[in-house]
Amino acid sequence: MMKYILVTGGVISGIGKGIIASSVGTILKSCGLHVTAIKIDPYINIDAGTFSPYEHGEVFVLDDGGEVDLDLGNYERFLDIRLTRDNNLTTGKIYQSVINKERRGDYLGKTVQVVPHITDAIQEWVVKQAKVPVDDDDLEPQVCVIELGGTVGDIESMPFIEAFRQFQFKVKRENFCNIHVSLIPQPSATGEQKTKPTQNSVRELRGLGLSPDLIMCRCSAVLENSVKEKISMFCHVEPEQVICVHDVSSIYRVPLLLEDQGVVSYLSRRLNMPIETRPRKMLTKWKEMSDRSDRLLEHCSIALVGKYTKFSDSYASVIKALEHSALAISHKLEVKYIDSAYLEPSTLQEEPVKYHEAWQKLCSADGVLVPGGFGVRGTEGKIQAINWARKQKKPFLGVCLGMQLAVCEFGRNVLGWKGNVDSLKLVIDMPEHNPGQMGGTMRLGKRRTIFKSNNSVLRKLYGDAEYVDERHRHRFEVNPDLKSHFEEKGFRFVGQDVEGERMEVIELDDHPYFVGVQYHPEFTSRPINPSPPYLGLLLAAAGKLQSYLQKGCRLSPRDTYSDRSGSSTPDSEISELKLPSISSD
């Protein structure tokens, strides 16, 4: 029988349910179980595709082109799995499916109501999606971790809570358990850990028909025993069911924190799961990663020049990809967030302090990254940053819009084509883009890129692959008709799509590292297997790229993970961090 673990949240949103759900999945996967994950978002949007990054952080893109919540990125990175768009369930998707059924006459004239029709649709969706294989071996998962977004008591979460209240009886008690994540505030005035918000939150959850099996307490410092006992007494659970998740130096420590407090053995008993008691290689790898992260001495700074820099979750996968690469080369990462609008000459007139601060950050960085984005605001500032990186021979990576603007910068400043970005026609609308509709009209999901050059730096970083499969999310593309003008001046289009019509990868000759990619390589980066374009940027910024390429793309022994650590799949071992081609047929 499939085992279901529902993760709910109380007191406030944004306390780390996603990381906790991912960590629970990770420690179960380390026991040799096949684990899948579902994220439920109670908003009415069909998907996350039309959100501003300031609403819910970045929009994460899956292989099948699904635009989903950033928590699915956490699941993929922690569990090393590949999810689909149906692993993200929204109120909008559920109501749309029920209304479509009603229009077809599937309910035979009945009154369609929240209970039972909406709640039944939620349960059916979960049961069906939990069976979809997410690992490379195509085996059906044994455990499904379901994260319910928002907080208990929200009006929009009610149908989902009711659906799971019914669901626990349908699948039987030994196949369903609830983990409730709650905040333990510690007011500075008294310094005392307060349990009242957690008590109220658990009482409300119980009133709605769900009883938590584990209460995970998010707190700044380790939970005191007296506080643990108080929660146990007032929330009707054993002290061993109260788990402390305090702030740690690295998110890689969270699975270890849960493992140390006996979460695996509790879930094994509670859900009657056959878990082997062999040493867990996968957790050894996590421990090694977190230990290394704490020990790093050498620093490397990357200037992230973007439009949504006030909220770091806007670039969650980009930051993670940089962290994975920095960890692989044993450097501590420092990200310098720069609002691209502050680099523009108009800011010098209006807010000179912000202008000079932004340029000081850019000039002091070891490398420059211009990530994807939408809209005209801030593009001139990004072009200024790219111009500086090209002229000063600073390592540069442009992703999606960052690559397109690198083409515009070169056309304007080297080829001498004057005018604004629109009038140059260097970047054009794609045929499939429907200007009248915003949602789902982009080129989305996994697409193949063919390398057209044998001496491409990026090709070498990908393990000398002939092609790579990476995820896309864009409405515009580089105008292929102008390609020859650029290549004459050493600005090469080294990667193209299968038809040879779309420009996918750019490289500049006579530069330490000047690379642009039309796809988003950050979405497939993993802690043990960093994304090659990001790894190249970090290597170049740390002055190690040439020696890395000369060694045949191998890191020095001190930078590799030991052969005890295991890869992200429980049974295979990794002896060194040799970056393979990530292409797949």
Side-chain angles (χ1 to χ4, degrees):
M1 283 291 289
M2 173 70 71
K3 307 293 180 183
Y4 299 93
I5 299 171
L6 175 68
V7 180
T8 54
V11 188
I12 57 169
S13 61
I15 52 172
K17 286 196 304 295
I19 297 294
I20 287 171
S22 305
S23 299
V24 168
T26 300
I27 56 178
L28 290 174
K29 186 166 180 173
S30 76
C31 302
L33 296 167
H34 286 83
V35 183
T36 185
I38 294 174
K39 171 74 195 288
I40 295 175
D41 284 303
Y43 48 67
I44 294 173
N45 304 57
I46 299 295
D47 60 31
T50 54
F51 280 143
S52 154
Y54 284 140
E55 282 287 311
H56 277 262
E58 75 168 5
V59 176
F60 191 80
V61 179
L62 302 169
D63 276 355
D64 65 357
E67 296 175 285
V68 295
D69 185 85
L70 60 82
D71 275 322
L72 275 83
N74 285 325
Y75 304 154
E76 285 207 341
R77 283 187 287 269
F78 270 67
L79 298 166
D80 196 20
I81 55 179
R82 301 227 163 189
L83 300 172
T84 68
R85 67 178 77 230
D86 288 343
N87 287 81
N88 193 192
L89 179 53
T90 68
T91 297
K93 281 182 182 176
I94 285 292
Y95 273 81
Q96 190 178 52
S97 71
V98 169
I99 289 166
N100 289 343
K101 278 184 180 178
E102 186 272 332
R103 291 288 83 186
R104 284 200 309 268
D106 290 9
Y107 296 115
L108 299 173
K110 284 193 168 63
T111 306
V112 180
Q113 294 174 294
V114 173
V115 181
H117 302 103
I118 296 293
T119 50
D120 283 355
I122 292 165
Q123 294 170 61
E124 284 160 20
W125 190 302
V126 167
V127 168
K128 183 181 168 193
Q129 197 54 36
K131 292 176 182 167
V132 176
V134 290
D135 286 307
D136 293 337
D137 54 16
D138 268 354
L139 290 173
E140 189 176 302
Q142 297 157 287
V143 182
C144 179
V145 180
I146 306 153
E147 180 195 343
L148 177 57
T151 49
V152 170
D154 293 348
I155 192 165
E156 59 263 38
S157 302
M158 291 302 184
F160 295 102
I161 297 277
E162 172 58 23
F164 286 110
R165 184 194 68 76
Q166 299 170 19
F167 189 66
Q168 63 187 337
F169 301 113
K170 280 187 187 172
V171 299
K172 304 288 186 287
R173 178 179 159 77
E174 66 270 18
N175 298 315
F176 178 91
C177 81
N178 173 218
I179 294 174
H180 189 61
V181 183
S182 182
L183 177 71
I184 304 289
Q186 196 165 352
S188 55
T190 60
E192 192 184 350
Q193 293 177 327
K194 296 291 183 185
T195 64
K196 193 64 74 182
T198 299
Q199 292 177 41
N200 291 339
S201 175
V202 170
R203 189 182 304 120
E204 186 156 18
L205 186 63
R206 280 227 165 77
L208 296 169
L210 283 174
S211 196
D213 296 286
L214 287 172
I215 299 173
M216 300 226 175
C217 302
R218 283 287 290 113
C219 40
S220 53
V222 178
L223 210 57
E224 293 162 18
N225 270 339
S226 58
V227 176
K228 211 175 210 187
E229 283 161 12
K230 193 173 180 183
I231 292 169
S232 161
M233 181 170 64
F234 284 106
C235 297
H236 198 64
V237 291
E238 293 282 338
E240 66 154 1
Q241 293 168 261
V242 180
I243 307 295
C244 163
V245 188
H246 57 83
D247 293 349
V248 283
S249 56
S250 151
I251 58 165
Y252 303 130
R253 290 212 175 275
V254 180
L256 304 169
L257 199 61
L258 302 186
E259 165 79 356
D260 289 346
Q261 294 178 72
V263 170
V264 168
S265 53
Y266 175 80
L267 290 174
S268 170
R269 293 195 308 274
R270 171 68 180 76
L271 294 172
N272 192 20
M273 288 191 286
I275 289 176
E276 303 164 26
T277 54
R278 60 192 170 96
R280 307 208 230 291
K281 291 183 214 156
M282 190 171 159
L283 282 187
T284 310
K285 177 205 70 174
W286 283 88
K287 182 165 187 348
E288 223 171 298
M289 278 194 303
S290 48
D291 285 348
R292 176 189 290 185
S293 163
D294 291 346
R295 282 198 310 263
L296 298 175
L297 297 173
E298 293 179 275
H299 284 254
C300 189
S301 60
I302 300 294
L304 193 154
V305 183
K307 200 163 87 168
Y308 308 106
T309 51
K310 292 183 181 70
F311 184 42
S312 62
D313 267 1
S314 307
Y315 299 109
S317 292
V318 169
I319 303 302
K320 290 286 177 285
L322 288 170
E323 285 174 358
H324 300 161
S325 300
L327 205 53
I329 64 166
S330 293
H331 275 61
K332 207 170 193 66
L333 175 71
E334 183 194 353
V335 179
K336 295 173 182 260
Y337 295 96
I338 301 172
D339 188 324
S340 56
Y342 292 162
L343 297 171
E344 295 172 4
S346 57
T347 307
L348 179 58
Q349 310 300 321
E350 296 157 17
E351 296 181 274
V353 174
K354 285 184 176 172
Y355 176 84
H356 289 299
E357 281 175 353
W359 274 101
Q360 195 276 330
K361 275 187 191 173
L362 181 68
C363 296
S364 61
D366 299 316
V368 179
L369 170 65
V370 179
F374 293 91
V376 176
R377 183 176 69 79
T379 50
E380 284 301 325
K382 291 175 184 177
I383 288 175
Q384 295 276 356
I386 295 164
N387 176 261
W388 182 83
R390 180 177 61 78
K391 285 182 171 173
Q392 300 295 324
K393 300 269 199 277
K394 272 287 178 208
F396 164 77
L397 175 63
V399 175
C400 197
L401 176 64
M403 169 198 155
Q404 295 168 1
L405 293 177
V407 172
C408 294
E409 188 278 327
F410 197 84
R412 187 189 285 180
N413 296 319
V414 178
L415 302 180
W417 298 348
K418 299 299 175 199
N420 64 23
V421 173
D422 285 338
S423 66
L424 288 172
K425 295 295 174 202
L426 288 167
V427 176
I428 53 173
D429 234 358
M430 286 189 305
E432 58 260 62
H433 173 212
N434 172 3
Q437 187 173 337
M438 291 292 277
T441 59
M442 290 183 275
R443 185 163 178 252
L444 286 162
K446 188 164 81 170
R447 299 279 195 283
R448 182 156 292 179
T449 296
I450 314 282
F451 284 112
K452 300 291 182 185
S453 163
N454 288 331
N455 64 345
S456 150
V457 173
L458 206 53
R459 178 173 179 163
K460 288 174 189 166
L461 286 166
Y462 273 108
D464 203 30
E466 290 178 18
Y467 60 83
V468 293
D469 294 328
E470 292 275 20
R471 298 174 184 178
H472 291 66
R473 183 179 187 242
H474 60 114
R475 286 198 181 95
F476 299 92
E477 61 177 334
V478 172
N479 189 343
D481 299 340
L482 305 173
K483 176 182 158 195
S484 58
H485 298 283
F486 285 83
E487 299 210 317
E488 287 166 10
K489 297 281 187 181
F491 190 98
R492 297 181 301 129
F493 293 91
V494 297
Q496 294 167 26
D497 71 342
V498 178
E499 287 80 29
E501 294 169 1
R502 297 204 163 121
M503 303 300 109
E504 293 279 358
V505 182
I506 58 159
E507 285 179 16
L508 183 60
D509 290 342
D510 192 29
H511 193 286
Y513 189 79
F514 191 97
V515 171
V517 290
Q518 181 58 73
Y519 50 79
H520 288 267
E522 63 270 17
F523 292 144
T524 49
S525 184
R526 300 285 183 266
I528 197 84
N529 191 7
S531 163
Y534 284 90
L535 183 70
L537 176 67
L538 264 292
L539 284 163
K544 293 182 173 186
L545 180 61
Q546 287 315 311
S547 65
Y548 177 75
L549 294 173
Q550 283 158 12
K551 288 177 188 168
C553 294
R554 287 174 188 274
L555 292 165
S556 63
R558 78 184 183 90
D559 290 334
T560 57
Y561 296 101
S562 76
D563 57 3
R564 300 188 322 278
S565 61
S567 75
S568 295
T569 50
D571 300 320
S572 58
E573 292 186 45
I574 186 166
S575 58
E576 60 188 323
L577 193 61
K578 168 90 171 80
L579 291 167
S581 156
I582 64 158
S583 57
S584 57
D585 293 320

